[in-house]
Amino acid sequence: MPTSSFTHDQLLDRLAEVAVRTGLNITPGQQLVITAGLEAVPLIRRITTHAYKAGASLVTTLYQDDETTLARFHHAREESFDTAAGWLANGMAEAFRNGAARMAITGGNPTLLKGQNPEHISRASRASSAAHRPAMELITSFDINWNIIACATPAWAQQVFPHLPEDEALAALWKGIFHASRVDVADPVAAWAEHNKTLHARAAMLNDARFDALHFTGPGTDLTVGLADGHLWTGGAEAAGNGVVCNPNIPTEEVFTTPHCARVEGTVSSTKPLFHQGSLIDGIQVRFEKGRIVEAHAQKGEDVLQRILESDEGARRIGEVALVPHSSPISQSGILYQNTLFDENAACHIALGQAYTKCMIDPEGLSEDELIARGANHSMIHIDWMIGSGEIDIDGVKDGQHVPLMRAGEWV
């Protein structure tokens, strides 16, 4: 990564500006709801300033704290792990229905819950997912403008750079975030506009092709992913249901769509580790039949993987397939961020669980059963894991004919 001529405070302010102007594109009079950890306060203050400058009517931040999260697992009563703050989740859903924008700031310790009772983690996760489902449906259907960005924290930095002193690790993580988020250049907003053009061109090519399926081949992988009826490829900035054009993820390198939840066949191996709720899952290999995972193994964390697959009926099917070139800046950095926002943009990936109905043509007014019939999976989870590398080839399949899309991880 190149050395930036900007100070840390300048880069932090640029990240905040890009999050508001490019990520959210917040509109005059719109409210903003932020969720973040306590250590993100310096970034949140800058985001709040830029949001009000852009015309936001009210910015509300809901803070999370790692230590109080751990306190629950150390001291809470057994029955409490089936409890979630439904009143808060309902309030967020109501805010989004009334037009509020959503920003999530990620950056917590990826191994925070390591060593905690896995059953308690699973139960708490299920309760939280169920409570937040009304709000999440507004996000996965892209009804509102939303955005997720990252804030470096000491605990996260030490996980990513364990051999560096704490201050050097934190500086290295911030450098990676600023570079991947394209804020260490002369004009970040213009850089994002140019990057969006590239992603839009790739999505347009795939939409024009109207492939029936994608075929992935490589070490440990021979997988055919059928695409949903009326699927729509997207990537980069898009118009939300409220008409606001936003970049949901900063950074992003992917174009993605909705697979058909009943038309996935074959075997696939993970190419990067998955970090889930404090646990490492590595060396994943699964086999699909008629869209469903019927066999699953992992070299590390197989028990965690099995618990994920038992979350609900849709957890054994996939709701997203995404294409990312091996030459993406995040891949070329060689950094394993242990954070999905970054690691999913280093490699092609699939996601267990809920589909994004925004990646469907004309999904409005369709019932859940009608969406499932078109191939859109339904689940309380959405967990991305990486299946792409410099050794993976991908073909588009149309009427039985194979068209090369990616070779050795790069676009043809």
Side-chain angles (χ1 to χ4, degrees):
M1 286 177 285
T3 300
S4 173
S5 60
F6 301 100
T7 67
H8 176 80
D9 284 347
Q10 288 174 324
L11 289 166
L12 200 64
D13 193 71
R14 284 162 154 256
L15 179 60
E17 182 179 13
V18 163
V20 170
R21 290 182 57 189
T22 299
L24 286 177
N25 190 19
I26 201 161
T27 60
Q30 190 174 31
Q31 290 194 40
L32 171 60
V33 178
I34 304 173
T35 56
L38 295 175
E39 289 163 308
V41 167
L43 177 58
I44 291 167
R45 288 172 176 164
R46 288 168 170 83
I47 289 170
T48 301
T49 296
H50 282 289
Y52 282 128
K53 286 181 177 180
S57 60
L58 182 65
V59 179
T60 302
T61 302
L62 305 173
Y63 288 97
Q64 302 144 348
D65 172 55
D66 284 354
E67 291 304 313
T68 52
T69 297
L70 279 178
R72 180 186 191 189
F73 288 92
H74 290 163
H75 306 295
R77 294 162 62 101
E78 177 68 27
E79 63 271 20
S80 81
F81 295 102
D82 298 313
T83 304
W87 56 270
L88 179 60
N90 290 337
M92 292 178 69
E94 183 67 16
F96 300 154
R97 282 192 288 266
N98 289 330
R102 163 81 162 112
M103 179 179 289
I105 301 177
T106 184
N109 181 351
T111 59
L112 177 68
L113 299 182
K114 183 178 181 179
Q116 303 306 313
N117 186 323
E119 179 62 24
H120 289 170
I121 296 172
S122 180
R123 287 165 55 193
S125 177
R126 284 197 299 268
S128 178
S129 294
H132 283 88
R133 185 162 190 84
M136 285 303 300
E137 285 179 342
L138 294 168
I139 292 172
T140 57
S141 62
F142 207 32
D143 285 356
I144 62 169
N145 50 322
W146 61 272
N147 173 250
I148 179 170
I149 62 168
C151 174
T153 62
W156 181 20
Q158 286 292 175
Q159 294 292 323
V160 178
F161 301 103
H163 303 300
L164 293 179
E166 182 176 298
D167 57 341
E168 292 181 23
L170 187 62
L173 182 55
W174 269 123
K175 184 178 180 181
I177 290 172
F178 291 144
H179 184 64
S181 303
R182 288 179 162 79
V183 299
D184 58 354
V185 298
D187 188 340
V189 174
W192 270 99
E194 190 64 29
H195 182 49
N196 278 323
K197 288 181 182 178
T198 300
L199 295 176
H200 291 164
R202 290 172 180 162
M205 177 272 290
L206 291 164
N207 283 325
D208 289 342
R210 304 308 309 161
F211 291 117
D212 302 319
L214 302 178
H215 185 213
F216 294 75
T217 55
T221 292
D222 185 355
L223 182 73
T224 299
V225 177
L227 301 180
D229 299 335
H231 67 276
L232 187 68
W233 287 92
T234 188
E238 299 289 343
N242 59 6
V244 179
V245 177
C246 66
N247 266 94
N249 288 353
I250 290 182
T252 185
E253 303 291 335
E254 64 178 343
V255 291
F256 58 100
T257 194
T258 299
H260 197 294
C261 60
R263 300 176 187 164
V264 183
E265 301 284 344
T267 58
V268 62
S269 298
S270 64
T271 53
K272 292 181 181 293
L274 168 64
F275 291 85
H276 179 70
Q277 297 179 341
S279 298
L280 166 68
I281 311 174
D282 199 9
I284 300 171
Q285 185 166 56
V286 304
R287 182 168 60 86
F288 288 88
E289 287 183 2
K290 298 180 180 179
R292 189 174 186 272
I293 293 175
V294 295
E295 187 177 355
H297 303 285
Q299 294 173 4
K300 295 181 180 178
E302 183 171 324
D303 57 334
V304 182
L305 175 62
Q306 296 295 346
R307 283 197 300 274
I308 290 172
L309 297 177
E310 297 303 323
S311 298
D312 57 25
E313 176 58 30
R316 287 182 175 269
R317 302 178 186 272
I318 62 174
E320 178 190 351
V321 59
L323 303 183
V324 179
H326 184 58
S327 57
S328 82
I330 297 173
S331 174
Q332 293 306 299
S333 75
I335 299 172
L336 181 64
Y337 284 89
Q338 304 180 31
N339 180 294
T340 299
L341 176 63
F342 288 81
D343 292 338
E344 73 169 3
N345 286 298
C348 296
H349 53 273
I350 54 178
L352 299 173
Q354 180 66 32
Y356 287 119
T357 54
K358 75 165 190 171
C359 296
M360 306 276 287
I361 298 171
D362 298 327
E364 296 81 7
L366 295 181
S367 68
E368 183 178 303
D369 287 343
E370 288 171 326
L371 288 168
I372 292 174
R374 285 179 56 178
N377 194 34
H378 181 74
S379 175
M380 70 172 65
I381 69 167
H382 182 94
I383 301 174
D384 299 273
W385 53 288
M386 280 47 77
I387 65 170
S389 74
E391 298 180 281
I392 299 295
D393 294 337
I394 304 172
D395 288 348
V397 183
K398 177 73 171 179
D399 297 327
Q401 300 298 310
H402 285 237
V403 179
L405 283 180
M406 303 184 91
R407 288 293 180 266
E410 299 300 330
W411 290 97
V412 172

